[in-house]
Amino acid sequence: MENTIYKNRRDGLSELMENNSVLLIPGADLQYRNADSSYPFRQDSSFYYFSGFCESSSLIAIVKNENKINSIIFVPPKDKLREIWDGYRAGPIGAVKDYLFDKAFDNNQIDSMLPDILSGSKQVMYPIGKKAGFDQKVIDWTTEASSKDRHSKSINIFDASSMIGNLRLIKDNHEIELIRKACDISADAHIHAMKNIKGGDNEQLIESLYIHEFSKKGARYPAYNPIVASGENACVLHYVENNKDLNNSDLILVDAGCEFEMYAADITRTFPISGKFSEEQLKIYEVVLEAMNAAIDEVKEGNSVMRPQEASEKVITKGLIKLGLLKGDLDELHASGAYKDFYMHKIGHWLGLDVHDAGDYVEGDDFMKFKPGMITTIEPGIYISSSMDVDDKWKGIGVRIEDDILVTKDGNENLTKKVPSDPKEIESLMS
Ligand code: GLY
Ligand code: MN
Ligand code: MN
């Protein structure tokens, strides 16, 4: 049964946890949008990674004693009335039977049982600062546990974020297949939008095309709020109003990816609403595309995660000099960070259960090195808002291109290459 994946992940913690320690991973609570209307429930990604369990207000406690892992989960209790209104609950019996935990209890027993579970432990680990109110809970349970056994050593509290994040950083085959599917669905939606867009449409309509394409293939939700930014809106990095009419002579930047079975895709394409790039749009686009290709070439086993960053900065600086948008010496302009007026964000981030996925970018005193199984986005951009001091012909052009790159044993695989980024291919797809 598929839930053995999650049990194996919990068992794998026995090598990483100290003897006599407890790891706590809180699940997500239901969030409200207004009054009593809730957002659709989304489980916390780390909680899901170790359980596969999707009911709210649950808690995992992994206890390591005598080098053996004992896994406990607290879940919403069975409740006939609530199940009539809200749907099936596994309850503690279902959590043991179907999710393969060693023990399970009702979540209304958390406060009374946690001090006993922690009592006598050397340390308690959990993701510090990640869930509102949970830090205080851990302090309270730890204080009570210590007061139950005054002669034992005090219980140390450690942050488990890096340990959990760095496990999540290397994707197993099951995860890679789900991300591949999320990428495929999202790529198809971009292709569909390129083929169907026309001047006079509203950004909101384009957003709905993506959501519809995602849904048709089993991905009910986007992995993040889509950015559908026409013309100068593309220069607002987190533009999510998505409500302007499309001007035929503008570009549109769409940053949209779906969530498929909890895993994210993250794709950006910038394309001409008319189907044809103008001369200036194309010149900027080609610089971003060259930066994209140079950065992707640096994503390989053993390279520092800073290599794609540096490659993209250099290509963009060189391109901006060639177009007359920066003046001076390439190395000096790169060293001074002059490109940041046009390219002000980083080249990418880890991708997985979260769109900005868990996992460190440094290891010891150095930057992290790429290893097979990691997935990073590569997403360079150039943004020229009309308030910038440049020739008018460049104003209002914003371009970003973003792909999702899997590190493999012999290089990398671009999981989102199906949707064209070459300008000639985009024009031919749109014609
Ligand atoms: N879609 C969010 C990002 O590109 O980081
Ligand atoms: Mn991204
Ligand atoms: Mn994105």
Side-chain angles (χ1 to χ4, degrees), residues 224 227 255-257 265-268 349 355-356 377 379 400 402:
Y224 52 91
I227 297 169
D255 184 343
D266 186 6
I267 305 181
T268 307
H349 49 83
V355 64
H356 296 162
T377 67
E379 48 181 306
R400 176 165 68 257
E402 176 174 27

PDB file of all heavy atoms in Angstrom, residues 224 227 255-257 265-268 349 355-356 377 379 400 402, ligand 3:
ATOM      1  N   TYR A 224       0.171  28.318  -6.271  1.00  0.00           N
ATOM      2  CA  TYR A 224       0.361  29.661  -5.699  1.00  0.00           C
ATOM      3  C   TYR A 224      -0.554  30.580  -6.500  1.00  0.00           C
ATOM      4  O   TYR A 224      -1.071  30.182  -7.556  1.00  0.00           O
ATOM      5  CB  TYR A 224       1.833  30.110  -5.808  1.00  0.00           C
ATOM      6  CG  TYR A 224       2.385  29.973  -7.210  1.00  0.00           C
ATOM      7  CD1 TYR A 224       2.322  31.023  -8.121  1.00  0.00           C
ATOM      8  CD2 TYR A 224       2.909  28.766  -7.673  1.00  0.00           C
ATOM      9  CE1 TYR A 224       2.777  30.893  -9.420  1.00  0.00           C
ATOM     10  CE2 TYR A 224       3.372  28.617  -8.967  1.00  0.00           C
ATOM     11  CZ  TYR A 224       3.307  29.691  -9.832  1.00  0.00           C
ATOM     12  OH  TYR A 224       3.746  29.565 -11.125  1.00  0.00           O
ATOM     13  N   ILE A 227       0.215  34.829 -11.400  1.00  0.00           N
ATOM     14  CA  ILE A 227       0.505  36.209 -11.793  1.00  0.00           C
ATOM     15  C   ILE A 227       0.186  36.305 -13.281  1.00  0.00           C
ATOM     16  O   ILE A 227       0.802  35.602 -14.088  1.00  0.00           O
ATOM     17  CB  ILE A 227       1.989  36.548 -11.535  1.00  0.00           C
ATOM     18  CG1 ILE A 227       2.294  36.465 -10.029  1.00  0.00           C
ATOM     19  CG2 ILE A 227       2.361  37.914 -12.113  1.00  0.00           C
ATOM     20  CD1 ILE A 227       3.780  36.512  -9.697  1.00  0.00           C
ATOM     21  N   ASP A 255       2.880  33.785 -14.691  1.00  0.00           N
ATOM     22  CA  ASP A 255       3.608  32.902 -13.765  1.00  0.00           C
ATOM     23  C   ASP A 255       2.539  32.054 -13.098  1.00  0.00           C
ATOM     24  O   ASP A 255       1.826  32.508 -12.209  1.00  0.00           O
ATOM     25  CB  ASP A 255       4.376  33.764 -12.742  1.00  0.00           C
ATOM     26  CG  ASP A 255       5.248  32.938 -11.807  1.00  0.00           C
ATOM     27  OD1 ASP A 255       5.036  31.721 -11.716  1.00  0.00           O
ATOM     28  OD2 ASP A 255       6.126  33.535 -11.153  1.00  0.00           O
ATOM     29  N   ALA A 256       2.373  30.816 -13.594  1.00  0.00           N
ATOM     30  CA  ALA A 256       1.288  29.966 -13.092  1.00  0.00           C
ATOM     31  C   ALA A 256       1.704  28.503 -13.148  1.00  0.00           C
ATOM     32  O   ALA A 256       2.244  28.039 -14.149  1.00  0.00           O
ATOM     33  CB  ALA A 256       0.023  30.167 -13.941  1.00  0.00           C
ATOM     34  N   GLY A 257       1.440  27.794 -12.065  1.00  0.00           N
ATOM     35  CA  GLY A 257       1.719  26.358 -12.012  1.00  0.00           C
ATOM     36  C   GLY A 257       0.690  25.704 -11.120  1.00  0.00           C
ATOM     37  O   GLY A 257       0.156  26.328 -10.206  1.00  0.00           O
ATOM     38  N   ALA A 265       4.194  22.794  -9.439  1.00  0.00           N
ATOM     39  CA  ALA A 265       4.983  23.198 -10.607  1.00  0.00           C
ATOM     40  C   ALA A 265       5.026  24.714 -10.579  1.00  0.00           C
ATOM     41  O   ALA A 265       4.151  25.355  -9.981  1.00  0.00           O
ATOM     42  CB  ALA A 265       4.330  22.716 -11.894  1.00  0.00           C
ATOM     43  N   ASP A 266       6.014  25.305 -11.207  1.00  0.00           N
ATOM     44  CA  ASP A 266       6.189  26.760 -11.163  1.00  0.00           C
ATOM     45  C   ASP A 266       6.771  27.203 -12.505  1.00  0.00           C
ATOM     46  O   ASP A 266       7.963  27.017 -12.749  1.00  0.00           O
ATOM     47  CB  ASP A 266       7.130  27.097  -9.993  1.00  0.00           C
ATOM     48  CG  ASP A 266       7.261  28.589  -9.764  1.00  0.00           C
ATOM     49  OD1 ASP A 266       6.544  29.369 -10.414  1.00  0.00           O
ATOM     50  OD2 ASP A 266       8.099  28.971  -8.918  1.00  0.00           O
ATOM     51  N   ILE A 267       5.915  27.711 -13.382  1.00  0.00           N
ATOM     52  CA  ILE A 267       6.352  28.063 -14.748  1.00  0.00           C
ATOM     53  C   ILE A 267       5.997  29.518 -15.038  1.00  0.00           C
ATOM     54  O   ILE A 267       4.886  29.963 -14.738  1.00  0.00           O
ATOM     55  CB  ILE A 267       5.630  27.198 -15.821  1.00  0.00           C
ATOM     56  CG1 ILE A 267       5.815  25.704 -15.537  1.00  0.00           C
ATOM     57  CG2 ILE A 267       6.116  27.551 -17.219  1.00  0.00           C
ATOM     58  CD1 ILE A 267       5.147  24.794 -16.591  1.00  0.00           C
ATOM     59  N   THR A 268       6.925  30.247 -15.646  1.00  0.00           N
ATOM     60  CA  THR A 268       6.612  31.569 -16.181  1.00  0.00           C
ATOM     61  C   THR A 268       6.929  31.602 -17.665  1.00  0.00           C
ATOM     62  O   THR A 268       7.986  31.116 -18.087  1.00  0.00           O
ATOM     63  CB  THR A 268       7.434  32.682 -15.492  1.00  0.00           C
ATOM     64  OG1 THR A 268       7.276  32.565 -14.083  1.00  0.00           O
ATOM     65  CG2 THR A 268       6.985  34.058 -15.950  1.00  0.00           C
ATOM     66  N   HIS A 349      14.625  28.855  -6.720  1.00  0.00           N
ATOM     67  CA  HIS A 349      14.369  28.310  -5.383  1.00  0.00           C
ATOM     68  C   HIS A 349      14.047  26.837  -5.528  1.00  0.00           C
ATOM     69  O   HIS A 349      13.698  26.358  -6.616  1.00  0.00           O
ATOM     70  CB  HIS A 349      13.187  29.049  -4.736  1.00  0.00           C
ATOM     71  CG  HIS A 349      11.991  29.160  -5.632  1.00  0.00           C
ATOM     72  ND1 HIS A 349      11.072  28.149  -5.779  1.00  0.00           N
ATOM     73  CD2 HIS A 349      11.595  30.146  -6.498  1.00  0.00           C
ATOM     74  CE1 HIS A 349      10.152  28.514  -6.666  1.00  0.00           C
ATOM     75  NE2 HIS A 349      10.449  29.715  -7.131  1.00  0.00           N
ATOM     76  N   VAL A 355       5.830  25.504  -3.218  1.00  0.00           N
ATOM     77  CA  VAL A 355       6.440  26.109  -4.414  1.00  0.00           C
ATOM     78  C   VAL A 355       7.799  26.689  -4.053  1.00  0.00           C
ATOM     79  O   VAL A 355       8.766  26.523  -4.809  1.00  0.00           O
ATOM     80  CB  VAL A 355       5.498  27.134  -5.085  1.00  0.00           C
ATOM     81  CG1 VAL A 355       5.200  28.332  -4.220  1.00  0.00           C
ATOM     82  CG2 VAL A 355       6.090  27.576  -6.410  1.00  0.00           C
ATOM     83  N   HIS A 356       7.908  27.357  -2.922  1.00  0.00           N
ATOM     84  CA  HIS A 356       9.231  27.744  -2.398  1.00  0.00           C
ATOM     85  C   HIS A 356       9.552  26.670  -1.371  1.00  0.00           C
ATOM     86  O   HIS A 356       9.214  26.786  -0.198  1.00  0.00           O
ATOM     87  CB  HIS A 356       9.195  29.137  -1.758  1.00  0.00           C
ATOM     88  CG  HIS A 356       8.881  30.218  -2.748  1.00  0.00           C
ATOM     89  ND1 HIS A 356       8.437  31.462  -2.402  1.00  0.00           N
ATOM     90  CD2 HIS A 356       8.950  30.228  -4.110  1.00  0.00           C
ATOM     91  CE1 HIS A 356       8.238  32.183  -3.489  1.00  0.00           C
ATOM     92  NE2 HIS A 356       8.544  31.460  -4.541  1.00  0.00           N
ATOM     93  N   THR A 377      13.941  25.877  -9.441  1.00  0.00           N
ATOM     94  CA  THR A 377      13.464  26.683 -10.558  1.00  0.00           C
ATOM     95  C   THR A 377      14.646  27.511 -11.067  1.00  0.00           C
ATOM     96  O   THR A 377      15.582  27.797 -10.330  1.00  0.00           O
ATOM     97  CB  THR A 377      12.342  27.657 -10.146  1.00  0.00           C
ATOM     98  OG1 THR A 377      12.872  28.641  -9.253  1.00  0.00           O
ATOM     99  CG2 THR A 377      11.197  26.921  -9.484  1.00  0.00           C
ATOM    100  N   GLU A 379      14.758  31.185 -13.096  1.00  0.00           N
ATOM    101  CA  GLU A 379      13.782  32.197 -13.490  1.00  0.00           C
ATOM    102  C   GLU A 379      14.360  33.612 -13.573  1.00  0.00           C
ATOM    103  O   GLU A 379      13.993  34.494 -12.801  1.00  0.00           O
ATOM    104  CB  GLU A 379      12.589  32.179 -12.525  1.00  0.00           C
ATOM    105  CG  GLU A 379      12.942  32.178 -11.047  1.00  0.00           C
ATOM    106  CD  GLU A 379      11.691  32.141 -10.168  1.00  0.00           C
ATOM    107  OE1 GLU A 379      10.825  33.009 -10.354  1.00  0.00           O
ATOM    108  OE2 GLU A 379      11.589  31.265  -9.298  1.00  0.00           O
ATOM    109  N   ARG A 400      10.027  37.665 -17.799  1.00  0.00           N
ATOM    110  CA  ARG A 400      10.631  36.593 -16.985  1.00  0.00           C
ATOM    111  C   ARG A 400      10.331  35.279 -17.688  1.00  0.00           C
ATOM    112  O   ARG A 400       9.256  35.116 -18.285  1.00  0.00           O
ATOM    113  CB  ARG A 400      10.056  36.577 -15.563  1.00  0.00           C
ATOM    114  CG  ARG A 400      10.585  35.422 -14.714  1.00  0.00           C
ATOM    115  CD  ARG A 400      10.339  35.558 -13.193  1.00  0.00           C
ATOM    116  NE  ARG A 400       8.955  35.458 -12.793  1.00  0.00           N
ATOM    117  CZ  ARG A 400       8.186  36.504 -12.462  1.00  0.00           C
ATOM    118  NH1 ARG A 400       8.684  37.725 -12.475  1.00  0.00           N
ATOM    119  NH2 ARG A 400       6.928  36.331 -12.112  1.00  0.00           N
ATOM    120  N   GLU A 402      10.642  31.070 -16.722  1.00  0.00           N
ATOM    121  CA  GLU A 402      10.901  30.198 -15.564  1.00  0.00           C
ATOM    122  C   GLU A 402      10.626  28.741 -15.913  1.00  0.00           C
ATOM    123  O   GLU A 402       9.546  28.396 -16.388  1.00  0.00           O
ATOM    124  CB  GLU A 402       9.993  30.619 -14.398  1.00  0.00           C
ATOM    125  CG  GLU A 402      10.116  29.722 -13.176  1.00  0.00           C
ATOM    126  CD  GLU A 402       9.322  30.236 -11.977  1.00  0.00           C
ATOM    127  OE1 GLU A 402       8.307  30.939 -12.167  1.00  0.00           O
ATOM    128  OE2 GLU A 402       9.729  29.925 -10.834  1.00  0.00           O
TER     129      GLU A 402
HETATM  130 MN    MN B   3       6.922  31.379 -10.589  1.00  0.00          MN
END
